[in-house]
Structures are given as structure tokens and as C-alpha cells.
Amino acid sequence: MRRVYIRKSMVEFEPRLVALTCLYLASKAEESIVQARNLVFYIKRLYPDEYNKYELKDILGMEMKVLEALDYYLVVFHPYRSLSEFLQDAAINDVNMNQITWGIVNDTYKMDLILVHPPYRIALACIYIASVHREKDITAWFEDLHEDMNLVKNIAMEILDFYENYRTITEEKVNSAFSKLALKP
């Protein structure tokens, strides 16, 4: 869904319909196809107020628009494979550091990093953050990679900025935002 809105406006494509269509397309891409009519049926049962206006024809009509917005390219590469290889190559035997690194990679999916940066650089940035956090000196390993560390550090800063912004979100702010949304027609 994020990839659609990199190229299209939320005004142009209604977000709830795009979400349903992306769910439908994802099921097709992963070869666990959910019939569109079943998707409409269950969504209406689970969320009767929000999704009641969408019919089968709406999802099927939006399918081509979403595919066009994605240039018919549904493949997204993930940093997990690179991360596994890098952790083995660096010979990091610290279980806690490995867990922290995997957790950071998981958190990057809450951002749009995967759409902007190569997956291997995201993996390197996560290893960098975890090594600083655990006070592990792996600078020699990073130097052997001959990777532009400025790019890796910039990605690391984006991740850390996300954590900093995430920390400032309080329950009161979330409730206030939901109450404002509820007031809109």
C-alpha cells in the first residue's frame, strides 16, 4: 500500500479500497488466493460500518489501477537474507546482539525504508545500531565490506529518528486523534 501512495495521492485513490485491493493482490502474489467475493463478504462482516460501501466490482476495478501504480511489479526484496549472511560473515556470537538486530529489522517495516534503500544496506544499518548498542567493535568488519558507511549511517539515523518519534506518541495523543477522526463526516 505504501508503494501505491509513493506514486499516487490519497485523494486520487481511496485508502480503504486500496487496502482491500492490496490484500487481494497480496494473496494472488503469494499464491494463496482469496476470492474477491469472499474478501468482500468477510470484511463487511468484520467491519460493517467502515467497509459496507465496497462491492466486488470496486475491488476488481481498483486492482488494475493499483497494478499500474506499481508498474506491475509486485516483488519486494527483504533485508532478512542479507542480515543472516552478514551476521555469519561477521562471526557475531552474541545472541543478544543478534536478537536486537533482528528486532530492529522487524521495526524497519513500520517505516518506508524498504521502498527507498537497498535491503542489504538496511541490514547493515541494523547491525551497526546493534553493535553500538551492545558496545561491540566491528569496525574492521565494516571496513572489509568496502561499503559507503555514510549511507549506512544515514539509514541508521532514520531508524533512530523513528524510535525517537515513536517514543513521543502517548496514549492521550492517539485518543485525541481518534476522537478528531470520529467527528468527521
Side-chain angles (χ1 to χ4, degrees):
M1 194 164 145
R2 288 181 187 170
R3 289 174 55 198
V4 172
Y5 288 118
I6 285 176
R7 297 180 181 193
K8 298 293 180 183
S9 166
M10 285 192 174
V11 174
E12 190 177 352
F13 287 174
E14 207 280 311
R16 288 187 174 139
L17 181 57
V18 170
L20 288 174
T21 306
C22 288
L23 186 61
Y24 177 60
L25 281 172
S27 76
K28 286 174 126 180
E30 293 297 324
E31 297 180 4
S32 15
I33 299 172
V34 174
Q35 292 182 352
R37 74 172 158 256
N38 288 343
L39 180 64
V40 170
F41 173 78
Y42 286 111
I43 289 295
K44 283 183 176 183
R45 270 184 78 188
L46 291 172
Y47 306 101
D49 296 332
E50 295 95 9
Y51 293 95
N52 205 23
K53 63 183 178 183
Y54 301 119
E55 298 296 331
L56 176 64
K57 65 179 174 51
D58 298 321
I59 292 175
L60 297 178
M62 183 57 76
E63 179 181 15
M64 289 310 293
K65 293 176 185 176
V66 168
L67 285 170
E68 286 174 13
L70 297 174
D71 289 333
Y72 299 92
Y73 190 72
L74 300 178
V75 177
V76 176
F77 294 98
H78 303 281
Y80 294 112
R81 177 176 288 151
S82 301
L83 180 64
S84 295
E85 292 171 4
F86 286 145
L87 289 173
Q88 283 181 343
D89 185 54
I92 298 171
N93 297 323
D94 183 349
V95 175
N96 288 331
M97 183 172 157
N98 288 346
Q99 288 176 342
I100 290 169
T101 307
W102 280 93
I104 295 169
V105 168
N106 290 340
D107 289 344
T108 64
Y109 283 92
K110 298 174 185 171
M111 301 172 263
D112 61 358
L113 288 179
I114 195 72
L115 306 176
V116 180
H117 300 289
Y120 77 93
R121 277 205 189 115
I122 295 170
L124 288 173
C126 294
I127 292 171
Y128 178 75
I129 292 169
S131 68
V132 170
H133 179 73
R134 295 287 296 166
E135 298 177 354
K136 292 274 186 186
D137 184 19
I138 57 172
T139 52
W141 178 77
F142 275 113
E143 288 171 0
D144 289 343
L145 292 176
H146 303 293
E147 181 63 30
D148 185 353
M149 283 307 291
N150 288 327
L151 294 172
V152 172
K153 288 178 182 179
N154 286 341
I155 295 169
M157 289 306 298
E158 287 184 56
I159 295 168
L160 294 173
D161 286 344
F162 167 78
Y163 284 137
E164 186 62 35
N165 291 334
Y166 189 75
R167 195 177 298 146
T168 62
I169 298 174
T170 63
E171 191 172 335
E172 293 165 5
K173 288 182 181 179
V174 172
N175 290 336
S176 171
F178 278 132
S179 66
K180 288 177 185 176
L181 286 173
L183 295 175
K184 293 191 176 191

